[in-house]
């Protein structure tokens, strides 16, 4: 029992990491459920990687990485909207072009400065154990904001996830609520990169929500279940990191993905003997 509790009792950085990680898990559970239901995994992945040039540029200029991430996300969403509205290209094509272009720009910026070695590792993989209380308060504000928006817009969001025409018939603007949903995803990615990094935040968006989608049939239940799965993944990942000297952010995401495949194997893969007898 001591191996599970003492790391948090004896180390303030573990407590901060736990609080920050749980807040990320809750925000990603809410947003990730809509990502799964709406089929926005590609744009979520693109945003998680597309903020890199904004962060790198901001750090190069001595500005806040959070501000740079926000600018990068805004450019990504704005660029996708511009390409799809002014051309015959599909949204997937626009996202792919902006995704690769933004990632390439980030790598070019990073390659111009040798001082980015440590910063790049923190940007890509996060620093959950180095989280400050200031960062935690920012994460808390973002998480509360995501929950409030999701609660206020629950009906149009759910309609949008299943039928855009029905959303319009019900008196809601599909374009407005789609943009608002993208803004929620972007805000979650922008704030959470400081904790789990740009490469791993996508895993926290998808894995707990995907696991919950296998187990629950209602959006609200799926969100709550995803938050619990994400929070438990944070606890387990931090303990693995502490006891085995592993990267904390990667350990958290690895646990979340491992839980998904375990649930998938139990729920979706029939026992070989039963499948054979059925034939």
């Amino acid at each position: 029992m001591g191996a599970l509790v003492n790391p948090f009792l004896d180390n303030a950085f573990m407590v901060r990491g736990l609080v920050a990680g749980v807040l990320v898990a809750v925000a990603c559970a809410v947003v990730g459920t809509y990502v799964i239901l709406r089929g926005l995994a590609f744009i979520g992945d693109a945003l998680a990687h597309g903020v890199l040039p904004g962060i790198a540029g901001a750090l190069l200029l001595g500005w806040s990485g959070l501000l740079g991430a926000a600018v990068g996300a805004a450019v990504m969403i704005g660029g996708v909207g511009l390409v799809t509205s002014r051309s015959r290209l599909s949204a997937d094509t626009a996202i792919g072009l902006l995704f690769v272009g933004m990632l390439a720009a980030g790598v070019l910026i990073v390659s111009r400065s040798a001082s980015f070695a440590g910063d790049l590792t923190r940007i890509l993989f996060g620093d959950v154990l180095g989280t400050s209380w200031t960062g935690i308060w920012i994460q808390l504000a973002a998480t509360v904001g995501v929950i409030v928006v999701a609660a206020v817009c629950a009906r149009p969001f759910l309609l949008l996830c299943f039928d855009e025409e029905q959303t319009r018939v019900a008196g809601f603007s599909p374009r407005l609520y789609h943009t608002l949903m993208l803004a929620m995803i972007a805000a979650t990615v922008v704030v959470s990169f400081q904790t789990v990094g740009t490469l791993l935040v996508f895993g926290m968006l998808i894995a707990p929500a995907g696991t919950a989608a296998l187990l629950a049939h209602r959006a609200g239940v799926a969100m709550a279940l995803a938050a619990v799965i994400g929070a438990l993944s944070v606890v387990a990942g931090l303990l693995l990191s502490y006891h085995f000297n592993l990267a904390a952010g990667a350990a958290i995401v690895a646990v979340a993905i491992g839980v998904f495949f375990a649930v998938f194997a139990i729920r979706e893969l029939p026992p070989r003997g039963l499948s054979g007898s059925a034939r």
Side-chain angles (χ1 to χ4, degrees):
M1 192 66 178
L4 301 179
V5 177
N6 289 342
F8 299 104
L9 296 179
D10 299 337
N11 301 281
F13 66 87
M14 289 287 287
V15 174
R16 292 195 300 270
L18 177 62
V19 175
V22 169
L23 289 174
V24 169
V26 172
C28 287
V30 175
V31 175
T33 299
Y34 288 123
V35 168
I36 297 293
L37 294 177
R38 179 75 172 141
L40 296 175
F42 191 23
I43 185 63
D45 188 24
L47 279 169
H49 293 76
V51 297
L52 179 59
I55 299 170
L59 294 178
L60 195 63
L61 295 172
W63 298 347
S64 167
L66 194 64
L67 174 62
V71 171
V75 170
M76 186 79 194
I77 293 176
V80 170
L82 180 65
V83 172
T84 52
S85 64
R86 299 298 181 89
S87 72
R88 293 178 296 175
L89 296 177
S90 67
D92 281 351
T93 302
I95 292 169
L97 288 170
L98 268 295
F99 173 20
V100 175
M102 295 286 281
L103 187 58
V107 173
L108 289 175
I109 294 173
V110 170
S111 68
R112 290 291 298 171
S113 176
S115 63
F116 264 124
D119 289 331
L120 181 60
T121 301
R122 190 170 66 252
I123 292 169
L124 295 178
F125 303 108
D127 187 17
V128 62
L129 297 180
T131 305
S132 66
W133 284 111
T134 300
I136 289 173
W137 283 112
I138 294 173
Q139 182 69 56
L140 175 62
T143 301
V144 171
V146 163
I147 293 172
V148 169
V149 172
V152 171
C153 303
R155 184 162 180 260
F157 277 173
L158 284 176
L159 288 171
L160 185 64
C161 287
F162 296 105
D163 191 338
E164 285 194 15
E165 187 57 36
Q166 187 63 37
T167 306
R168 189 176 290 106
V169 170
F172 302 109
S173 168
R175 175 175 293 185
L176 171 63
Y177 286 97
H178 177 71
T179 302
L180 188 57
M181 194 177 290
L182 291 182
M184 285 176 59
I185 299 171
T188 302
V189 169
V190 166
V191 176
S192 300
F193 92 88
Q194 296 184 107
T195 302
V196 294
T198 60
L199 290 182
L200 301 179
V201 67
F202 181 62
M204 289 301 289
L205 274 175
I206 297 299
T211 306
L214 295 177
L215 299 171
H217 300 287
R218 298 181 62 181
V221 176
M223 288 179 188
L225 188 55
V228 172
I229 294 170
L232 292 176
S233 298
V234 169
V235 175
L238 288 175
L239 288 172
L240 287 173
S241 169
Y242 182 85
H243 290 297
F244 298 100
N245 195 27
L246 301 172
I252 291 169
V253 176
V255 170
I257 293 175
V259 171
F260 169 81
F261 281 109
V263 172
F264 175 78
I266 294 170
R267 294 274 300 183
E268 307 297 331
L269 300 181
R272 183 171 298 177
L274 292 180
S275 64
S277 62
R279 287 195 296 269

